[in-house]
């Protein structure tokens, strides 16, 4: 896999907005009807959601067979056996660390639900150490993004359902995360399937 450091971690996080109202700090969970493509059975932590855009990280898509050491050039002399996660299809060579807000650097962005993101070499150096242990930090490549009103429209069409999260859930087993999120929502699966999608939904922003 290509190294991501030069175009990702170590540079500014311009272009990754992390402030705004809406669903920032919450999860969105894909409906069963979204059954193909990168968002099938996905659980996304929303970092920004405002009238201009939305930005989030897919929490439950580890990249099979790839660990952090193999993905980032600056880690060649550091053995970190942490999986690399697919954060979404936007800017696929950009690295983002999602971590507990108990570790916050000057350039970190605190989002909500006890979570923050960082994109600097300083944070990368802390990855896999007691400062950012595996149980409270994950490295992502790419992110999920929406344009003005787009996520709001998808929510009206019942493409996604939202719910609260926690640090424990965000860093839990990705293999069972979607099933557990759906169970947490508490709507019987057959009812979700019957809900379908509303193709007539408008695009007026919710916020």
């Amino acid at each position: 896999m290509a190294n991501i450091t030069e175009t990702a971690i170590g540079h500014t996080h311009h272009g990754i907005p992390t402030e705004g109202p809406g669903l920032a700090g919450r999860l969105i969970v894909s409906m069963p009807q979204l059954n193909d493509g990168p968002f099938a059975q996905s659980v996304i932590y929303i970092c920004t959601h405002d009238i201009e855009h939305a930005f989030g990280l897919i929490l439950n898509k580890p990249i099979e067979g790839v660990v952090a050491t193999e993905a980032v050039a600056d880690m060649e002399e550091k053995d970190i056996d942490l999986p690399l996660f697919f954060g979404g299809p936007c800017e696929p060579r950009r690295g983002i660390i999602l971590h507990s807000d108990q570790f916050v650097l000057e350039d970190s962005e605190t989002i909500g639900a006890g979570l923050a993101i960082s994109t600097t070499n300083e944070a990368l150096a802390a990855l896999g150490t007691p400062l950012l242990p595996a149980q409270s930090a994950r490295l992502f490549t790419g992110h999920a993004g929406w344009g003005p009103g787009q996520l709001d429209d998808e929510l009206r069409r019942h493409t996604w359902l939202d719910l609260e999260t926690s640090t424990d859930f965000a860093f839990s087993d990705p293999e069972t995360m979607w099933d557990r999120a759906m169970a947490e929502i508490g709507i019987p699966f057959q009812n979700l399937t019957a809900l379908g999608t509303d193709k007539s939904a408008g695009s007026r922003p919710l916020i």
Side-chain angles (χ1 to χ4, degrees), residues 91-104:
E91 296 187 281
R93 292 178 59 84
R94 188 168 204 148
I96 303 168
I97 299 173
L98 178 71
H99 55 85
S100 164
D101 64 8
Q102 294 181 12
F103 173 88
V104 178

Side-chain angles (χ1 to χ4, degrees), residues 69-99:
T69 304
E70 299 168 339
V72 183
D74 286 358
M75 300 175 76
E76 289 176 351
E77 298 180 1
K78 184 179 179 182
D79 185 17
I80 300 183
D81 191 24
L82 295 179
L84 181 69
F85 280 76
F86 170 71
C90 301
E91 296 187 281
R93 292 178 59 84
R94 188 168 204 148
I96 303 168
I97 299 173
L98 178 71
H99 55 85

Side-chain angles (χ1 to χ4, degrees), residues 1-5 7-8 61-73 76 82-88 91-96 139-142:
M1 180 177 178
N3 293 324
I4 63 174
T5 306
T7 57
K61 305 279 185 178
I63 300 173
E64 185 176 357
V66 180
V67 296
T69 304
E70 299 168 339
V72 183
E76 289 176 351
L82 295 179
L84 181 69
F85 280 76
F86 170 71
E91 296 187 281
R93 292 178 59 84
R94 188 168 204 148
I96 303 168
L139 177 63
F140 294 82
T141 178

Side-chain angles (χ1 to χ4, degrees), residues 15-57:
I16 299 184
T18 52
E19 293 183 0
L23 299 180
R26 293 177 65 86
L27 299 178
I28 59 171
V29 183
S30 66
M31 290 282 283
Q33 292 84 359
L34 190 59
N35 55 15
D36 60 4
F39 297 119
Q41 294 194 346
S42 62
V43 179
I44 302 179
Y45 176 69
I46 298 297
C47 301
T48 296
H49 179 209
D50 60 30
I51 199 168
E52 296 296 331
H53 47 248
F55 153 73
L57 295 169

Side-chain angles (χ1 to χ4, degrees), residues 45-205:
Y45 176 69
I46 298 297
C47 301
T48 296
H49 179 209
D50 60 30
I51 199 168
E52 296 296 331
H53 47 248
F55 153 73
L57 295 169
I58 302 175
L59 298 181
N60 61 329
K61 305 279 185 178
I63 300 173
E64 185 176 357
V66 180
V67 296
T69 304
E70 299 168 339
V72 183
D74 286 358
M75 300 175 76
E76 289 176 351
E77 298 180 1
K78 184 179 179 182
D79 185 17
I80 300 183
D81 191 24
L82 295 179
L84 181 69
F85 280 76
F86 170 71
C90 301
E91 296 187 281
R93 292 178 59 84
R94 188 168 204 148
I96 303 168
I97 299 173
L98 178 71
H99 55 85
S100 164
D101 64 8
Q102 294 181 12
F103 173 88
V104 178
L105 300 171
E106 183 179 352
D107 291 330
S108 300
E109 298 286 353
T110 301
I111 311 298
L115 298 169
I117 60 172
S118 298
T119 60
T120 63
N121 278 334
E122 186 178 356
L124 185 62
L127 192 61
T129 73
L131 291 174
L132 280 181
Q135 62 267 29
S136 62
R138 283 181 177 168
L139 177 63
F140 294 82
T141 178
H143 66 270
W146 295 264
Q150 185 180 1
L151 179 57
D152 307 299
D153 193 42
E154 291 180 9
L155 288 162
R156 283 195 194 84
R157 294 175 189 272
H158 310 305
T159 303
W160 308 94
L161 296 174
D162 74 284
L163 74 159
E164 294 180 352
T165 191
S166 66
T167 53
D168 287 343
F169 186 86
F171 300 119
S172 64
D173 181 6
E175 296 297 323
T176 61
M177 186 177 286
W178 185 79
D179 288 331
R180 287 182 287 117
M182 296 300 280
E184 182 69 22
I185 289 169
I187 304 175
F189 190 87
Q190 62 269 25
N191 290 1
L192 289 171
T193 303
L195 185 60
T197 58
D198 179 7
K199 293 183 168 41
S200 66
S203 58
R204 180 180 59 82

